[in-house]
Amino acid sequence: MALRSFAPSSDERVVAGVCAGIAQTLAVDPTLVRLVFALLALAGGAGILLYLALWAWAEGKRVWVAAALAFVAGCVLLGALGLSARAVVGIALIAGGLALAWRQGGSFHPDAPLSYGGIGLAALGALVLLWGGGTSSALLAPGAVAGALLLIGGPWVWRLAVERDVERTARIRSEERSDMAARVHDSVLQTLALIQKHAQEPRRVASLARRQERELRGWLYGDHPLDESASLRAALEAAAGDVEELHGVRVELASAGDCPVDASVGALVLAAREAMTNAAKFAVVEEIDVYAEVTDDDVSVFVRDRGAGFDRAAVPADRRGVVESIEGRMERAGGRATVVTSLGSGTEVELRLPRRAS
Amino acid sequence: MKRRVVLVDDHDLFVAGVRSELGDAVEVVGQAGTVADAVPLIVELDPDVVLVDVHLPDGSGDAIINAVAAERPGVRFLALSVSDAAEDVIAVIRAGARGYVTKTISGAELAAAIERVATGDAVFSPRLAGFVLDAFRAGEQVGGDAELDELTPREREVLQLIARGYMYKEIAARLHLSVKTVESHVSSVLRKLQLSTRHELARWATQHRLV
C-alpha cells in the first residue's frame, strides 16, 4: 500500500495545518480529523506525538525523526490502552522487525530476499509477548504472531497460486495451438500444396486461394450460422464459393439482414447462383457484386457485373439460361426477376421475392 | 501535389504489394507494423492519409486513431482489412476512420479511395454499406436521437447502390444527382455511423472492446 503524501494546509491551519492537510488529501471534514487527533492526544499524549511526527515528515521530509516520533507515539498509545510495559516492548519489537524487513525489500514481494534481521526482531518480539506479558498479552500474542507469519509467509503462498495459474494458462494455450495446427494442416497446408502443383494454371490457383480464404475466414470470423438451410446469407456464400471455384472469378458478397431458407427462398438462391454463373461465363470480368437484402416485406438479391452486357433480342431461343433458370424459377416461387443490361455497360439481375406472412 | 501516405500493416508482403500497386499515384512516406511504432511515426510525419489495418499485433486500428486524433486532427484514416467481422469494421469507423476497404481492392481503386478520403469524403465498400444498412434497419430503434439514429430514404438508396457494387459516378447517373451530392450523402451516413447511439452500433462496439 502506498502512503499518500500530503502537504500541510496553510490556508486552513489552526496549529501547523497538518490536520487540514490530511483532511484535504482524504477529502473529509478537517474537524473530523482534528477530533481524532484530540482523542488520541488524551491517550497519554500519543496524538500530540503523532501530530509532530506527521508535521516533521510533511515539512522537511525528516523521515527518521518522523518515524521515531511515530514509533514512540505508538508505544504510548498501546501503554494508554492498558497494556503492560512488556507487551508494549514485544509489539514494538514486532513492528520494528516488520519495518526492517520492509525497508530491506522484505518479504512483501514474493521474489525479494528474506530479511533475517527483520524476522529475528519480529520473532524476539513474539517471544517477549508470549512470556509473561500479563493478561492482555494472552489475548494479543497469538494474533500478533499469526499476523507476522502471514506477512512473511503469505507472499510465498501467493506466488505458488500464481504459478499454478500460469501453468494452467500455458496448458490451455498449448491445447489451442495444437487445435489450430490441426486445422491449418487440414486446410491451409493442403491448399498450398495444391497451389504448388497447379502453379502453371493461374485460374485454378486463384480459385484454390479464394476457396481457402473463404474457409479460413468462416472459421476465424464465423459468428453467424454456417448452416445453409438456416440462413440466406450462408446459402448465398456457399453458392458464391461454388461459382468462384468453378469459374475463377471473385464474388463480392454484401448483405443486410438475413432469413431462413424455405422452398421459395431456396429457389431464389438457385436463381442467384445461375445469375452469378452467367456473369462469370459471359461477362468476362474478374469480379461480380452480389447484394442481398431482407426487409419485413421482401427478400431481394442483386447480381451485378461490369462486363460485356448483352442484347436480349440477340440471344438465341434455344439458350434457356436466363428465361428458364432465372425468370421462370422466380415466377414459380412467387417472385420476379428483372434483368437490366445493354451491350458494353454490364448486367444487373434483380431478384425479388415477397415474404409470406407464414 | 501527391498525397502523403503512411501504411500501417504488419504483413510485409502485403505492404510491399500495396506500395508497388500504388506506384506513383501517391507518395508513401512511411510504414509501421505495430500500434506502438505507428503512433509516434504518424505524429512526426503528419501525412494526409493513413492506411490502417484493423488488426495489428499489439492492438487494433482504432487504438492508433484514438491516440493520434488529438495531436494530428488533420490526418485522415482509411481502414484496410481482410476481416469480415462487422464489429471490427464498425469499431474502426466509429473511432474516426473515414472509410473501409477490403484488401482485395485493386491499386487504382485504392488510389482513388485515398484521394477521396484525403479530400474529406467517405469511402464505403459494398460490404460496409451492407453492414450499415443492417445496423440502421427500420424497427430496431431504442430511443435516442432520431436524426442520428435513422437514415433518410435517399441515404438508404445511395447505400443500397454501393452495396450492389455501383460506383459514385454510376449512382449519381442513376439517381439523377451530382457526384458531389452522392458524396455528401455518404459523408452524412459516416457521421451518423460515428455519432449515433443506436443499439446495434453500440452492441458491435462493446463486443469489440470486450474481445
Side-chain angles (χ1 to χ4, degrees), chain A residues 26-105:
Chain A
L26 299 178
V28 293
D29 192 335
T31 313
L32 195 67
V33 181
R34 287 187 188 116
L35 197 64
V36 170
F37 272 90
L39 281 172
L40 285 175
L42 289 178
I48 297 168
L49 285 168
L50 193 62
Y51 189 96
L52 287 172
L54 285 169
W55 178 62
W57 181 59
E59 267 300 293
K61 301 286 175 205
R62 286 176 290 254
V63 179
W64 281 109
V65 177
L69 279 169
F71 190 73
V72 175
C75 291
V76 169
L77 186 62
L78 288 173
L81 284 174
L83 297 186
S84 66
R86 218 197 183 108
V88 171
V89 170
I91 291 173
L93 279 172
I94 291 179
L98 290 176
L100 188 62
W102 180 56
R103 273 199 63 80
Q104 292 178 349

Coordinates of all heavy atoms in Angstrom, one line a residue, chain A residues 26-105:
Chain A
L26 N -7.6 13.3 2.1 CA -8.5 12.3 2.2 C -9.9 12.8 1.8 O -10.9 12.0 1.8 CB -8.6 11.7 3.6 CG -7.3 11.1 4.1 CD1 -7.5 10.6 5.6 CD2 -6.9 9.9 3.2
A27 N -10.1 14.1 1.5 CA -11.4 14.7 1.2 C -12.4 14.4 2.3 O -13.5 13.9 2.0 CB -11.8 14.1 -0.2
V28 N -12.0 14.7 3.5 CA -13.0 14.7 4.6 C -13.0 16.0 5.3 O -12.2 16.9 5.0 CB -12.7 13.6 5.6 CG1 -12.9 12.2 5.0 CG2 -11.3 13.7 6.2
D29 N -13.9 16.2 6.2 CA -14.1 17.4 7.0 C -12.9 17.5 8.0 O -12.6 16.6 8.7 CB -15.4 17.3 7.8 CG -15.7 18.7 8.4 OD1 -14.8 19.5 8.6 OD2 -16.9 18.9 8.6
P30 N -12.1 18.7 8.0 CA -11.0 18.8 8.8 C -11.4 18.7 10.3 O -10.5 18.2 11.1 CB -10.5 20.2 8.5 CG -11.4 20.8 7.5 CD -12.3 19.8 7.0
T31 N -12.6 19.1 10.7 CA -13.0 19.0 12.1 C -12.9 17.5 12.5 O -12.5 17.2 13.7 CB -14.4 19.5 12.2 OG1 -14.6 20.7 11.5 CG2 -14.8 19.7 13.7
L32 N -13.3 16.6 11.7 CA -13.3 15.2 12.0 C -11.8 14.7 12.3 O -11.6 14.0 13.3 CB -13.8 14.4 10.8 CG -14.2 12.9 11.0 CD1 -15.4 12.9 12.0 CD2 -14.5 12.2 9.7
V33 N -10.9 15.2 11.5 CA -9.5 14.8 11.6 C -9.0 15.3 13.0 O -8.3 14.7 13.7 CB -8.6 15.3 10.5 CG1 -7.2 14.9 10.6 CG2 -9.2 14.7 9.1
R34 N -9.4 16.6 13.2 CA -8.9 17.2 14.5 C -9.4 16.5 15.7 O -8.8 16.3 16.7 CB -9.3 18.7 14.5 CG -8.5 19.5 13.5 CD -8.8 21.0 13.6 NE -8.1 21.7 12.6 CZ -8.8 22.4 11.6 NH1 -10.1 22.5 11.6 NH2 -8.1 22.9 10.6
L35 N -10.7 16.0 15.6 CA -11.3 15.3 16.6 C -10.6 14.0 16.9 O -10.3 13.7 18.1 CB -12.8 15.0 16.2 CG -13.7 14.6 17.4 CD1 -13.9 15.7 18.4 CD2 -15.0 14.1 16.9
V36 N -10.2 13.3 15.9 CA -9.4 12.1 16.0 C -8.1 12.3 16.7 O -7.7 11.7 17.7 CB -9.1 11.4 14.7 CG1 -8.1 10.2 14.8 CG2 -10.4 10.9 14.1
F37 N -7.4 13.4 16.3 CA -6.1 13.7 17.0 C -6.3 14.1 18.4 O -5.5 13.8 19.3 CB -5.4 14.9 16.2 CG -4.6 14.3 15.1 CD1 -5.1 14.1 13.8 CD2 -3.2 14.0 15.3 CE1 -4.3 13.6 12.8 CE2 -2.4 13.5 14.3 CZ -3.0 13.3 13.0
A38 N -7.4 14.9 18.7 CA -7.7 15.3 20.0 C -7.9 14.1 20.9 O -7.4 14.0 22.1 CB -8.9 16.2 20.1
L39 N -8.7 13.1 20.4 CA -8.9 11.9 21.2 C -7.6 11.1 21.5 O -7.4 10.6 22.6 CB -9.9 11.0 20.5 CG -11.4 11.4 20.6 CD1 -12.2 10.5 19.7 CD2 -11.8 11.2 22.0
L40 N -6.8 11.0 20.4 CA -5.5 10.3 20.5 C -4.6 11.1 21.5 O -3.8 10.5 22.3 CB -4.8 10.2 19.2 CG -5.4 9.2 18.2 CD1 -4.7 9.3 16.9 CD2 -5.2 7.8 18.8
A41 N -4.7 12.4 21.6 CA -3.9 13.2 22.5 C -4.2 12.8 23.9 O -3.4 12.9 24.8 CB -4.1 14.7 22.2
L42 N -5.5 12.5 24.2 CA -5.9 12.1 25.5 C -5.3 10.8 25.9 O -5.1 10.5 27.1 CB -7.4 11.9 25.6 CG -8.2 13.2 25.5 CD1 -9.7 12.9 25.5 CD2 -7.9 14.1 26.6
A43 N -4.9 9.9 24.9 CA -4.3 8.6 25.3 C -2.8 8.8 25.5 O -1.9 8.5 24.7 CB -4.5 7.7 24.1
G44 N -2.5 9.4 26.7 CA -1.1 9.6 27.1 C -0.3 10.5 26.2 O 0.9 10.4 26.1
G45 N -1.0 11.4 25.4 CA -0.3 12.3 24.5 C 0.2 11.8 23.2 O 0.9 12.4 22.5
A46 N -0.4 10.6 22.9 CA 0.0 9.9 21.6 C -0.3 10.8 20.4 O 0.4 10.9 19.4 CB -0.7 8.5 21.5
G47 N -1.5 11.4 20.5 CA -2.0 12.3 19.4 C -1.0 13.4 19.1 O -0.7 13.7 17.9
I48 N -0.5 14.0 20.2 CA 0.4 15.1 20.0 C 1.7 14.6 19.3 O 2.2 15.3 18.4 CB 0.8 15.8 21.4 CG1 -0.5 16.3 22.0 CG2 1.8 16.9 21.2 CD1 -0.4 16.7 23.4
L49 N 2.2 13.5 19.8 CA 3.4 12.9 19.2 C 3.2 12.6 17.7 O 4.1 12.9 16.9 CB 3.9 11.6 20.0 CG 4.5 11.9 21.3 CD1 4.6 10.6 22.1 CD2 5.9 12.5 21.2
L50 N 2.1 12.0 17.4 CA 1.7 11.6 16.0 C 1.7 12.9 15.2 O 2.2 12.9 14.0 CB 0.4 10.9 16.0 CG 0.1 10.1 14.7 CD1 1.2 9.1 14.5 CD2 -1.3 9.5 14.8
Y51 N 1.1 13.9 15.8 CA 0.9 15.2 15.0 C 2.3 15.7 14.7 O 2.6 16.1 13.5 CB 0.2 16.2 15.9 CG -0.2 17.5 15.2 CD1 -1.4 17.6 14.6 CD2 0.7 18.5 15.1 CE1 -1.8 18.8 14.0 CE2 0.4 19.7 14.4 CZ -0.9 19.8 13.8 OH -1.2 20.9 13.2
L52 N 3.2 15.7 15.7 CA 4.6 16.2 15.4 C 5.3 15.3 14.4 O 6.0 15.8 13.5 CB 5.4 16.2 16.8 CG 5.0 17.2 17.8 CD1 5.7 17.0 19.1 CD2 5.3 18.6 17.2
A53 N 5.0 14.0 14.5 CA 5.7 13.1 13.5 C 5.2 13.4 12.1 O 6.1 13.6 11.2 CB 5.3 11.6 13.8
L54 N 3.9 13.6 11.9 CA 3.4 13.9 10.6 C 3.9 15.2 10.1 O 4.2 15.4 8.9 CB 1.9 13.9 10.6 CG 1.3 12.5 10.6 CD1 -0.2 12.5 10.9 CD2 1.6 11.7 9.3
W55 N 4.0 16.2 11.0 CA 4.4 17.5 10.6 C 5.9 17.5 10.2 O 6.3 18.0 9.1 CB 4.3 18.4 11.8 CG 4.8 19.8 11.6 CD1 4.3 20.7 10.7 CD2 5.8 20.5 12.3 NE1 4.9 21.9 10.7 CE2 5.9 21.8 11.7 CE3 6.7 20.2 13.3 CZ2 6.8 22.7 12.1 CZ3 7.6 21.1 13.7 CH2 7.7 22.4 13.1
A56 N 6.7 16.7 10.9 CA 8.1 16.6 10.6 C 8.3 15.9 9.2 O 9.1 16.3 8.4 CB 8.9 15.7 11.6
W57 N 7.4 14.9 9.0 CA 7.5 14.2 7.7 C 7.1 15.1 6.5 O 7.7 15.1 5.5 CB 6.6 13.0 7.8 CG 6.6 12.1 6.6 CD1 7.7 11.6 6.0 CD2 5.5 11.8 5.8 NE1 7.4 10.9 4.9 CE2 6.0 11.0 4.7 CE3 4.2 12.1 5.8 CZ2 5.2 10.5 3.7 CZ3 3.3 11.6 4.8 CH2 3.9 10.8 3.8
A58 N 6.0 15.8 6.8 CA 5.5 16.6 5.6 C 6.3 17.9 5.4 O 6.6 18.3 4.3 CB 4.1 17.0 5.9
E59 N 6.8 18.5 6.5 CA 7.6 19.7 6.4 C 8.9 19.6 5.6 O 9.1 20.1 4.6 CB 7.8 20.3 7.7 CG 6.7 21.3 8.2 CD 6.6 22.5 7.2 OE1 7.5 23.3 7.2 OE2 5.5 22.6 6.6
G60 N 9.8 18.8 6.3 CA 11.1 18.7 5.8 C 11.6 17.4 5.3 O 12.7 17.2 5.0
K61 N 10.6 16.5 5.2 CA 11.0 15.1 4.8 C 12.0 14.5 5.8 O 12.9 13.8 5.4 CB 11.5 15.0 3.4 CG 10.5 15.5 2.4 CD 9.3 14.6 2.1 CE 8.3 15.1 1.2 NZ 7.0 14.5 1.4
R62 N 11.9 14.9 7.1 CA 12.9 14.3 8.0 C 12.3 13.0 8.5 O 11.7 12.8 9.5 CB 13.0 15.3 9.2 CG 13.9 16.5 8.9 CD 13.9 17.4 10.1 NE 12.6 18.1 10.3 CZ 12.4 19.3 10.0 NH1 13.3 20.1 9.5 NH2 11.2 19.8 10.2
V63 N 12.6 12.0 7.6 CA 11.9 10.7 7.7 C 12.2 10.0 9.1 O 11.3 9.5 9.7 CB 12.2 9.8 6.5 CG1 11.5 8.5 6.7 CG2 11.8 10.5 5.3
W64 N 13.5 10.1 9.5 CA 13.9 9.3 10.7 C 13.3 9.9 11.9 O 12.8 9.2 12.8 CB 15.4 9.2 10.8 CG 15.9 8.1 9.9 CD1 16.6 8.3 8.7 CD2 15.6 6.8 10.0 NE1 16.8 7.1 8.1 CE2 16.2 6.1 8.9 CE3 15.0 6.0 10.9 CZ2 16.2 4.8 8.7 CZ3 14.9 4.6 10.7 CH2 15.5 4.0 9.6
V65 N 13.3 11.2 12.0 CA 12.7 11.9 13.1 C 11.2 11.5 13.2 O 10.7 11.2 14.2 CB 12.8 13.4 13.0 CG1 12.1 14.1 14.1 CG2 14.3 13.8 13.0
A66 N 10.5 11.6 12.0 CA 9.1 11.3 11.9 C 8.9 9.9 12.4 O 7.9 9.6 13.2 CB 8.6 11.5 10.5
A67 N 9.7 8.9 11.9 CA 9.5 7.5 12.2 C 9.7 7.3 13.7 O 8.9 6.6 14.3 CB 10.5 6.7 11.4
A68 N 10.7 7.9 14.3 CA 11.0 7.7 15.7 C 9.8 8.3 16.5 O 9.3 7.6 17.5 CB 12.3 8.4 16.1
L69 N 9.3 9.5 16.1 CA 8.2 10.1 16.9 C 7.0 9.2 16.7 O 6.3 9.0 17.7 CB 7.9 11.5 16.3 CG 8.8 12.6 16.8 CD1 8.6 13.8 15.9 CD2 8.5 12.9 18.3
A70 N 6.7 8.7 15.5 CA 5.5 7.8 15.3 C 5.7 6.6 16.1 O 4.7 6.1 16.7 CB 5.4 7.5 13.8
F71 N 6.9 6.0 16.2 CA 7.1 4.8 17.0 C 6.8 5.0 18.5 O 6.1 4.3 19.1 CB 8.6 4.4 16.8 CG 9.0 3.1 17.3 CD1 8.6 2.0 16.6 CD2 9.7 3.0 18.5 CE1 8.9 0.7 17.1 CE2 10.0 1.7 19.0 CZ 9.6 0.6 18.3
V72 N 7.3 6.1 19.0 CA 7.1 6.5 20.4 C 5.6 6.7 20.6 O 5.0 6.2 21.6 CB 7.9 7.7 20.8 CG1 7.5 8.1 22.2 CG2 9.4 7.4 20.7
A73 N 5.0 7.3 19.6 CA 3.5 7.6 19.7 C 2.8 6.3 19.8 O 1.8 6.1 20.6 CB 3.1 8.4 18.5
G74 N 3.2 5.3 19.0 CA 2.5 4.0 19.0 C 2.7 3.3 20.4 O 1.7 2.8 20.9
C75 N 3.9 3.4 20.9 CA 4.1 2.8 22.2 C 3.3 3.4 23.3 O 2.7 2.7 24.1 CB 5.6 2.9 22.6 SG 6.7 1.9 21.5
V76 N 3.3 4.8 23.3 CA 2.5 5.5 24.3 C 1.0 5.1 24.2 O 0.3 4.9 25.2 CB 2.6 7.0 24.1 CG1 1.6 7.8 24.9 CG2 4.0 7.4 24.4
L77 N 0.5 5.0 22.9 CA -0.9 4.6 22.7 C -1.2 3.3 23.3 O -2.2 3.1 23.9 CB -1.1 4.7 21.2 CG -2.6 4.5 20.8 CD1 -3.5 5.6 21.3 CD2 -2.7 4.4 19.3
L78 N -0.3 2.3 23.0 CA -0.5 0.9 23.5 C -0.5 0.9 25.0 O -1.3 0.3 25.6 CB 0.5 0.0 22.9 CG 0.4 -0.4 21.5 CD1 1.6 -1.2 21.0 CD2 -0.9 -1.1 21.2
G79 N 0.4 1.7 25.6 CA 0.5 1.8 27.0 C -0.8 2.4 27.6 O -1.3 1.9 28.6
A80 N -1.3 3.4 26.9 CA -2.5 4.1 27.3 C -3.7 3.1 27.2 O -4.7 3.2 28.0 CB -2.8 5.3 26.5
L81 N -3.6 2.1 26.3 CA -4.7 1.2 26.2 C -4.7 0.1 27.3 O -5.5 -0.8 27.4 CB -4.7 0.4 24.9 CG -5.1 1.2 23.7 CD1 -4.8 0.5 22.4 CD2 -6.6 1.6 23.8
G82 N -3.7 0.2 28.2 CA -3.7 -0.6 29.4 C -2.8 -1.8 29.2 O -2.9 -2.8 30.0
L83 N -1.9 -1.9 28.2 CA -1.0 -3.0 28.1 C 0.2 -2.8 29.0 O 0.6 -1.7 29.3 CB -0.5 -3.1 26.6 CG -1.5 -3.3 25.6 CD1 -0.9 -3.5 24.2 CD2 -2.4 -4.6 25.9
S84 N 0.7 -3.9 29.4 CA 1.9 -3.9 30.3 C 3.1 -3.4 29.5 O 3.1 -3.5 28.3 CB 2.2 -5.2 30.9 OG 2.6 -6.1 29.9
A85 N 4.1 -3.0 30.2 CA 5.3 -2.5 29.5 C 5.9 -3.6 28.7 O 6.4 -3.3 27.5 CB 6.3 -2.0 30.5
R86 N 5.8 -4.8 29.1 CA 6.4 -5.9 28.4 C 5.7 -6.1 27.1 O 6.3 -6.3 26.0 CB 6.3 -7.1 29.3 CG 7.5 -8.0 29.2 CD 7.2 -9.4 29.8 NE 8.4 -10.1 29.7 CZ 9.1 -10.5 30.7 NH1 8.7 -10.2 32.0 NH2 10.2 -11.2 30.6
A87 N 4.4 -6.1 27.1 CA 3.6 -6.3 25.9 C 3.9 -5.2 24.9 O 4.1 -5.4 23.7 CB 2.1 -6.3 26.2
V88 N 4.1 -3.9 25.4 CA 4.4 -2.8 24.5 C 5.7 -3.1 23.9 O 5.9 -2.9 22.7 CB 4.4 -1.5 25.3 CG1 4.9 -0.4 24.5 CG2 3.0 -1.1 25.8
V89 N 6.7 -3.5 24.7 CA 8.0 -3.8 24.1 C 7.9 -4.9 23.1 O 8.5 -4.8 22.0 CB 9.0 -4.2 25.2 CG1 10.3 -4.7 24.6 CG2 9.3 -3.0 26.1
G90 N 7.2 -5.9 23.4 CA 7.0 -7.0 22.4 C 6.4 -6.6 21.1 O 6.9 -6.8 20.0
I91 N 5.3 -5.8 21.2 CA 4.7 -5.3 20.0 C 5.6 -4.4 19.2 O 5.7 -4.4 18.0 CB 3.3 -4.6 20.3 CG1 2.3 -5.7 20.8 CG2 2.8 -3.9 19.1 CD1 1.1 -5.1 21.3
A92 N 6.3 -3.5 20.0 CA 7.3 -2.6 19.4 C 8.3 -3.4 18.6 O 8.7 -3.0 17.5 CB 7.9 -1.7 20.4
L93 N 8.8 -4.4 19.2 CA 9.9 -5.2 18.5 C 9.3 -5.9 17.2 O 10.0 -5.9 16.2 CB 10.4 -6.3 19.5 CG 11.4 -5.9 20.5 CD1 11.7 -7.0 21.5 CD2 12.7 -5.5 19.8
I94 N 8.1 -6.4 17.3 CA 7.5 -7.0 16.1 C 7.3 -5.9 15.0 O 7.7 -6.1 13.8 CB 6.1 -7.6 16.4 CG1 6.3 -8.8 17.3 CG2 5.4 -8.0 15.1 CD1 5.0 -9.5 17.7
A95 N 6.8 -4.7 15.4 CA 6.6 -3.7 14.5 C 7.9 -3.3 13.9 O 8.1 -3.1 12.6 CB 5.9 -2.5 15.1
G96 N 9.0 -3.1 14.7 CA 10.3 -2.7 14.2 C 10.8 -3.8 13.3 O 11.4 -3.4 12.2
G97 N 10.6 -5.1 13.6 CA 11.1 -6.1 12.8 C 10.5 -6.1 11.4 O 11.1 -6.2 10.4
L98 N 9.2 -5.9 11.4 CA 8.4 -5.8 10.1 C 8.9 -4.6 9.3 O 9.1 -4.7 8.1 CB 6.9 -5.8 10.3 CG 6.3 -7.1 10.9 CD1 4.8 -6.9 11.1 CD2 6.5 -8.2 9.8
A99 N 9.1 -3.5 10.0 CA 9.6 -2.3 9.3 C 10.9 -2.5 8.7 O 11.2 -2.1 7.5 CB 9.6 -1.1 10.3
L100 N 11.8 -3.2 9.4 CA 13.1 -3.5 8.9 C 13.0 -4.4 7.7 O 13.7 -4.2 6.7 CB 14.0 -4.2 10.0 CG 15.4 -4.4 9.7 CD1 16.1 -3.1 9.5 CD2 16.1 -5.2 10.8
A101 N 12.2 -5.5 7.8 CA 12.0 -6.4 6.7 C 11.5 -5.6 5.5 O 12.0 -5.9 4.3 CB 11.0 -7.5 7.1
W102 N 10.6 -4.7 5.7 CA 10.1 -3.9 4.6 C 11.1 -3.0 3.9 O 11.3 -3.0 2.7 CB 8.9 -3.1 5.1 CG 8.2 -2.3 4.1 CD1 7.7 -2.7 2.9 CD2 8.1 -0.9 4.1 NE1 7.2 -1.7 2.2 CE2 7.4 -0.5 2.9 CE3 8.4 0.1 5.0 CZ2 7.1 0.8 2.6 CZ3 8.0 1.4 4.7 CH2 7.4 1.8 3.5
R103 N 11.9 -2.4 4.8 CA 13.0 -1.5 4.3 C 14.0 -2.2 3.5 O 14.6 -1.7 2.6 CB 13.6 -0.8 5.5 CG 12.9 0.5 5.8 CD 13.8 1.4 6.6 NE 14.9 1.9 5.8 CZ 14.9 2.9 4.9 NH1 13.7 3.5 4.7 NH2 15.9 3.3 4.2
Q104 N 14.2 -3.5 3.8 CA 15.3 -4.2 3.1 C 14.7 -4.9 1.9 O 15.2 -5.9 1.4 CB 15.9 -5.3 4.0 CG 16.7 -4.6 5.1 CD 17.4 -5.6 6.0 OE1 17.0 -6.8 6.0 NE2 18.3 -5.2 6.9
G105 N 13.6 -4.4 1.4 CA 12.9 -5.0 0.2 C 12.1 -6.2 0.6 O 11.4 -6.8 -0.3

